Amino acid sequence: MAATTTTTTFSASLSLIPKPNNPSTTKPLSLFPKPFLKPSPLSLVSSSSSPLLVHGISQYFSSDSSPDHSLPSFDHEDDEKPREECGVVGIFGDPEASRLCYLALHALQHRGQEGAGIVTVSNEKVLQTITGVGLVSEVFSESKLDQLPGEFAIGHVRYSTAGASMLKNVQPFVAGYRFGSIGVAHNGNLVNYKQLRAMLEENGSIFNTSSDTEVVLHLIAISKARPFFMRIIDACEKLQGAYSMVFVTEDKLVAVRDPHGFRPLVMGRRSNGAVVFASETCALDLIEATYEREVYPGEVLVVDKDGVKSQCLMPHNEPKQCIFEHIYFSLPNSIVFGRSVYESRHVFGEILATESPVECDVVIAVPDSGVVAALGYAAKSGVAFQQGLIRSHYVGRTFIEPSQKIRDFGVKLKLSPVRGVLEGKRVVVVDDSIVRGTTSSKIVRLLREAGAKEVHMRIASPPIVASCYYGVDTPSSEELISNRMSVQEISDFIGSDSLAFLSFDTLKKHLGEDSKSFCYACFTGDYPVKPAEVKVKRGGGDFIDDGLVGSFDNIEAGWVR
């Protein structure tokens, strides 16, 4: 249920919009038996009560569970993939904007599972928002979407390891300043966040969150530029790092992408003319919006009743788009940076089969992210692809382990080997990446216990040797196994019969003329925008790259900058 009415001040020029005391009483939206809320023209009729005013960092909980201001513990260390931290959506010109935004966020759920939120603009030009912790279907119920009328909206899904502060960091943020109200949803990471925050605090700004997105709101509030979109440009000129953002005001929707274009942001249009922005094209597909183009690096797109206007944010030399969008983050059915993610991964698998062949009886994948590359490997090698590992999609955020310890319990909860596929076979296992190597070693052991005669690991990316500072959650470089060991040493560590990575040079060759447009910092340590702070591990667990290790109580203490 909603919290009590509160008003919190950002600064003298920037304040949060207050939250009402009108809790919802309906059950949360469930994926079963109704997977989605079908848009209904009756659902957006305003009630007789006053419009809902909720500030952008509030939490909403459905009536069948009380608010829990402590986050669940994650007790296993078996999800060591890098984490994309956010997905954003913006919609302008549709009477069911909030419901379409909800559906689009569901399509982007893979980009963040820890929190979700939607902001709409009512017919009375009031910004209204509902945010909460959990999956999109857990945060929103039908009655909550009924409280978000309006023809334009922005939305956000978030992954974070930010501990107890996560509740107040859930976006979109909504703030009031002297010229009105503004909402923002941000995907990326600002490398000069601490310097900007220190400067603003020295000049009297008061911060309510630990999110770098709040810095953007402060910079817009203090800007002297006119008109409004120039305030955004003025603010963004002070930012360094990765940002794909959508803003909403009383009469405008604005999409912005940083000059390097680190994180994706695309534009589409529905048949009724509504303009849609999203982190991936899979969100456009679900709400029947036609993909038009990317938001260009350094571009500001302003959408209002007069149409779409493009402004150049600032000069840029060449894009540095995140290559890991094609390796792991994005869904295979998305078009990202103008390329099919499915085709990219399939080719990566083909390259592995060509450059690192091995005698085998079956090709399997580590689901789900390794499947397309495994298909490519199998097609090129002429060896059948089979499902040797079955992934459970119903593992909760916590689990109870029996008192008698089960080895590799976390991996076994999520991945089940198929003995009939593996027993007595020489197996090639294709995965998208290796971070610390702990999960890979457990998978190899799992396959051997199921009877695999040989286990050959093939990784559809080059070795990760450096941390990311542009919106991807990775461990410090000293914890990355490829930064500490040779390929043969890693193979010995994980217990495989052989190990091969995608060649970096071949990857760039495949990308052709576009190769200069991608960021490879995680493979080379060469950062397009130099990070001002370095990740240093101080102890307390391996939660940074896992997202599932230890309790959230010790996460904030685990790292220093």
Side-chain angles (χ1 to χ4, degrees):
M1 57 185 173
T4 55
T5 304
T6 58
T7 303
T8 308
T9 302
F10 270 126
S11 68
S13 61
L14 186 66
S15 63
L16 289 177
I17 296 175
K19 187 195 314 185
N21 186 16
N22 57 342
S24 169
T25 58
T26 59
K27 64 181 180 180
L29 184 64
S30 171
L31 291 181
F32 302 101
K34 250 185 0 179
F36 306 108
L37 289 177
K38 184 177 180 180
S40 165
L42 301 177
S43 63
L44 296 177
V45 177
S46 300
S47 64
S48 58
S49 59
S50 60
L52 178 68
L53 302 180
V54 186
H55 69 63
I57 57 172
S58 60
Q59 304 82 245
Y60 273 70
F61 297 85
S62 52
S63 59
D64 61 349
S65 60
S66 60
D68 182 3
H69 295 281
S70 64
L71 292 175
S73 297
F74 293 119
D75 298 314
H76 60 82
E77 57 179 21
D78 302 308
D79 189 7
E80 64 165 14
K81 298 299 184 185
R83 297 297 189 96
E84 166 61 48
E85 294 193 356
C86 299
V88 299
V89 175
I91 297 173
F92 186 97
D94 197 291
E96 295 189 295
S98 65
R99 290 174 179 252
L100 294 171
C101 192
Y102 156 79
L103 292 173
L105 289 177
H106 182 85
L108 298 176
Q109 189 74 85
H110 59 286
R111 300 186 75 90
Q113 300 88 45
E114 300 301 334
I118 294 174
V119 175
T120 61
V121 182
S122 70
N123 294 331
E124 293 78 21
K125 303 303 180 185
V126 176
L127 271 64
Q128 304 169 125
T129 180
I130 293 176
T131 62
V133 172
L135 302 176
V136 175
S137 60
E138 296 170 339
V139 173
F140 295 101
S141 63
E142 188 151 5
S143 66
K144 287 176 183 176
L145 292 176
D146 287 342
Q147 296 168 24
L148 295 173
E151 295 193 352
F152 44 114
I154 60 174
H156 190 267
V157 288
R158 182 174 191 266
Y159 163 74
S160 173
T161 57
S165 66
M166 183 184 151
L167 289 169
K168 62 184 178 181
N169 285 332
V170 176
Q171 298 183 37
F173 292 162
V174 175
Y177 72 121
R178 56 187 173 174
F179 295 108
S181 299
I182 181 172
V184 60
H186 171 210
N187 176 26
N189 187 62
L190 306 179
V191 300
N192 64 335
Y193 157 67
K194 287 196 172 180
Q195 294 94 319
L196 290 173
R197 177 164 177 156
M199 178 270 292
L200 289 163
E201 288 178 327
E202 190 169 333
N203 287 291
S205 294
I206 299 173
F207 283 78
N208 192 68
T209 77
S210 59
S211 170
D212 54 357
T213 309
E214 191 177 353
V215 163
V216 181
L217 291 174
H218 281 283
L219 293 174
I220 291 173
I222 65 175
S223 173
K224 307 295 183 184
R226 303 288 187 278
F228 170 73
F229 76 86
M230 289 301 299
R231 303 173 76 89
I232 293 180
I233 294 176
D234 185 40
C236 289
E237 286 176 343
K238 299 176 177 65
L239 307 179
Q240 296 175 19
Y243 53 89
S244 288
M245 296 185 285
V246 286
F247 297 87
V248 69
T249 68
E250 290 91 342
D251 60 353
K252 289 180 176 61
L253 178 68
V254 181
V256 184
R257 196 167 169 215
D258 69 80
H260 288 92
F262 286 109
R263 309 254 63 87
L265 190 61
V266 298
M267 182 177 74
R269 202 178 298 264
R270 282 172 51 81
S271 58
N272 62 358
V275 177
V276 181
F277 298 102
S279 294
E280 292 182 40
T281 59
C282 61
L284 305 183
D285 296 339
L286 181 56
I287 62 173
E288 297 182 331
T290 302
Y291 169 70
E292 291 193 349
R293 67 175 178 88
E294 289 188 299
V295 177
Y296 301 128
E299 186 179 26
V300 178
L301 283 169
V302 182
V303 188
D304 57 21
K305 59 181 178 60
D306 297 322
V308 182
K309 302 180 184 66
S310 173
Q311 306 289 336
C312 181
L313 177 61
M314 62 184 75
H316 55 281
N317 296 323
E318 61 185 10
K320 291 296 178 183
Q321 301 160 143
C322 177
I323 188 62
F324 242 86
E325 293 286 348
H326 277 266
I327 291 170
Y328 175 66
F329 297 136
S330 298
L331 286 186
N333 58 315
S334 285
I335 305 295
V336 176
F337 308 138
R339 288 173 171 264
S340 164
V341 175
Y342 186 97
E343 291 178 7
S344 292
R345 293 179 188 170
H346 201 276
V347 169
F348 297 161
E350 293 176 6
I351 293 172
L352 278 171
T354 301
E355 294 191 338
S356 305
V358 66
E359 291 292 326
C360 63
D361 304 307
V362 64
V363 177
I364 71 169
V366 177
D368 293 312
S369 54
V371 169
V372 179
L375 289 170
Y377 189 103
K380 192 69 174 179
S381 66
V383 178
F385 168 83
Q386 295 192 53
Q387 282 190 286
L389 288 170
I390 306 299
R391 184 182 184 95
S392 171
H393 295 275
Y394 308 105
V395 178
R397 294 149 72 88
T398 59
F399 52 79
I400 301 170
E401 186 173 359
S403 57
Q404 186 173 353
K405 286 282 185 179
I406 297 176
R407 186 171 64 169
D408 305 335
F409 182 54
V411 165
K412 289 177 179 176
L413 272 177
K414 295 195 302 180
L415 297 175
S416 302
V418 182
R419 184 172 291 272
V421 171
L422 303 168
E423 194 165 23
K425 303 290 183 59
R426 297 168 298 175
V427 181
V428 165
V429 190
V430 181
D431 202 356
D432 60 89
S433 60
I434 294 181
V435 181
R436 291 178 301 130
T438 53
T439 297
S440 297
S441 65
K442 293 171 183 177
I443 289 173
V444 170
R445 189 157 56 235
L446 197 66
L447 297 174
R448 292 198 188 280
E449 290 174 354
K453 181 180 178 182
E454 296 176 10
V455 178
H456 302 274
M457 290 290 293
R458 295 295 181 265
I459 307 302
S461 69
I464 301 174
V465 300
S467 295
C468 177
Y469 295 86
Y470 310 128
V472 180
D473 189 25
T474 54
S476 64
S477 295
E478 67 191 41
E479 292 181 281
L480 296 167
I481 193 168
S482 293
N483 191 45
R484 297 184 287 108
M485 298 182 183
S486 68
V487 174
Q488 184 58 53
E489 288 172 333
I490 298 171
S491 181
D492 294 340
F493 176 82
I494 66 176
S496 62
D497 292 282
S498 71
L499 169 67
F501 289 86
L502 181 68
S503 163
F504 179 62
D505 291 336
T506 307
L507 170 64
K508 294 181 69 175
K509 183 179 179 181
H510 162 68
L511 296 172
E513 294 182 358
D514 293 337
S515 64
K516 293 182 179 180
S517 299
F518 285 90
C519 174
Y520 309 105
C522 55
F523 304 141
T524 65
D526 182 15
Y527 295 100
V529 179
K530 299 300 180 184
E533 301 144 8
V534 178
K535 293 178 181 178
V536 179
K537 187 166 185 205
R538 194 170 68 185
D542 294 312
F543 37 74
I544 286 296
D545 54 340
D546 296 345
L548 299 174
V549 178
S551 71
F552 272 115
D553 295 334
N554 68 355
I555 285 181
E556 288 189 315
W559 293 81
V560 293
R561 303 291 191 192

